[in-house]
Amino acid sequence: AGTGKTETTKDLANALAKLIYVINCSPEYDYKGLGNIFKGVASSGAWVCFDEFNRLIPEVLSVCTVQFKAVCDGIATDSSRIRIEG
């Protein structure tokens, strides 16, 4: 809390010339909305920083981990397509 994690992430993205989106999470977010965010950043090559990630409800966090793993697996296998739930 208050240690500059988001600012450090933004600075790193800027130093590497990467577009970064900072998403302020709230308990109202659902897995479909997060799925759309993952789809957007995965297709554009941008970075995403989820601020206050711990505020998401456990059910959404659970699906979010599956979505994140799909993106990571796609990157690891150099896939041209990935399937994201939501």
Side-chain angles (χ1 to χ4, degrees), residues 8-62:
T8 301
T9 304
K10 287 168 48 179
D11 289 345
L12 177 61
N14 287 330
L16 297 173
K18 290 286 186 179
L19 178 62
I20 184 166
Y21 293 99
V22 177
I23 307 297
N24 293 308
C25 297
S26 73
E28 290 79 26
Y29 273 38
D30 63 5
Y31 76 93
K32 291 181 182 179
L34 287 174
N36 287 334
I37 292 169
F38 279 122
K39 289 173 188 175
V41 296
S43 65
S44 69
W47 285 12
V48 64
C49 177
F50 292 103
D51 204 16
E52 301 294 335
F53 192 71
N54 58 309
R55 294 177 62 202
L56 296 172
I57 61 172
E59 295 82 3
V60 173
L61 280 171
S62 177

